[in-house]
Amino acid sequence: MKSYTLRVLADHLNADVQGDDSVEISTVGTLDGAGLGQISFLANSKYRSQLASTAASAILMTPKDAEGFTGNAIVLNDPYVGFARIAQFLDTTPKAADSIHPSAQIAASAMLGEGVAIAANAVIGENVILGNNVQIGAGSVVGQDSVIGSNTMLWANVTVYHNVHLGQDCIIHSGAVLGSDGFGYANERGQWIKIPQTGGVRIGDRVEIGANTTVDRGAISHTEIHDGVIIDNQVQIAHNDIIGANTAIAGSTVVAGSVTIGKHCIIGGNCAISGHISITDGVHVTGSTNITSVIREAGVYSSATVAMDNKLWRKNTVRFRQLDTLFQRVKTLENNVK
């Protein structure tokens, strides 16, 4: 395992060293679990008490927290961001593929850039374009006329349908499905008539999509995921959704069709967003929230109730059903007073 001096790591962050800058660091760790050769971080003051007992070789911390600290530290304004960058620097995760495996099926019309790697049993369809240094994991499928930008990586068993475009530096995790049909049907006297989904999917640069997440293709125009978006595991993005740049969506959230979510939004886990609405830039939706109408102003939005004793919940449910009756009674009383 390769190691680096604290000075090298600090220079990588353009930060200062407090203590011995020749200390060797090979991996990252938590304050209470790190040991020799590991670096940790202090980003929340409630964990400051762990500084006295930590066995980490060095800590990432703010100038204020570094005051009076006698151990080795990298001092910077945002230790959590510093930790993320150091974790990337020390990352030893293997590649999804490191060569073109003999069992990979590659159409003669496909165009492969320099340094492309395709693992065992992957399938690359007709007229596919793979940019430089693309990695295609084992068992993955890239459908006809799809384009994958340089340095993008698909882990094992990813399915990319036809006419899907991925930008550069994306990461798509195992089991993700990009470009499956949107849920489009017309009803004729009780019989469902399928509407062919002829749009595609357009995904920007630096997008990460979690395991078993699905992104449906557009019905006519494209489903769009813009630059820098991060999407967790088991998320449903329906047809013709537009997700703005640098928005984050946590696991098990469902976004119905024709929704537009703005830039720099944070959507918590297990949320449900109704179709044909828009959410403006800079909105934070807390977990398990149901959104059924347009959100026009940035801010924090919530709707889920917290867990409570079942008997109390049942009583509150009955009261909730009586709200309209109670409202009408209060309105009548107010009118009588007037």
Side-chain angles (χ1 to χ4, degrees), residues 131-202:
N132 296 336
N133 304 311
V134 164
Q135 299 173 38
I136 307 296
S140 290
V141 176
V142 182
Q144 178 178 325
D145 298 318
S146 287
V147 177
I148 298 180
S150 298
N151 305 311
T152 285
M153 178 172 63
L154 275 57
W155 283 103
N157 299 313
V158 170
T159 299
V160 177
Y161 279 60
H162 56 286
N163 190 23
V164 173
H165 290 197
L166 281 84
Q168 301 180 26
D169 301 298
C170 297
I171 301 173
I172 313 299
H173 290 277
S174 293
V177 178
L178 310 181
S180 51
D181 277 1
F183 200 55
Y185 298 85
N187 193 286
E188 183 181 36
R189 296 186 296 275
Q191 298 295 316
W192 293 108
I193 309 300
K194 183 175 177 60
I195 301 171
Q197 304 291 283
T198 57
V201 176
R202 298 295 182 264

Side-chain angles (χ1 to χ4, degrees), residues 103-119:
S103 66
Q105 302 296 307
I106 304 171
S109 59
M111 298 177 60
L112 277 59
E114 296 181 0
V116 168
I118 304 173

Side-chain angles (χ1 to χ4, degrees), residues 7 67 119 128 155 194 269 284:
R7 169 51 57 194
E67 293 177 4
V128 165
W155 283 103
K194 183 175 177 60
H284 182 181

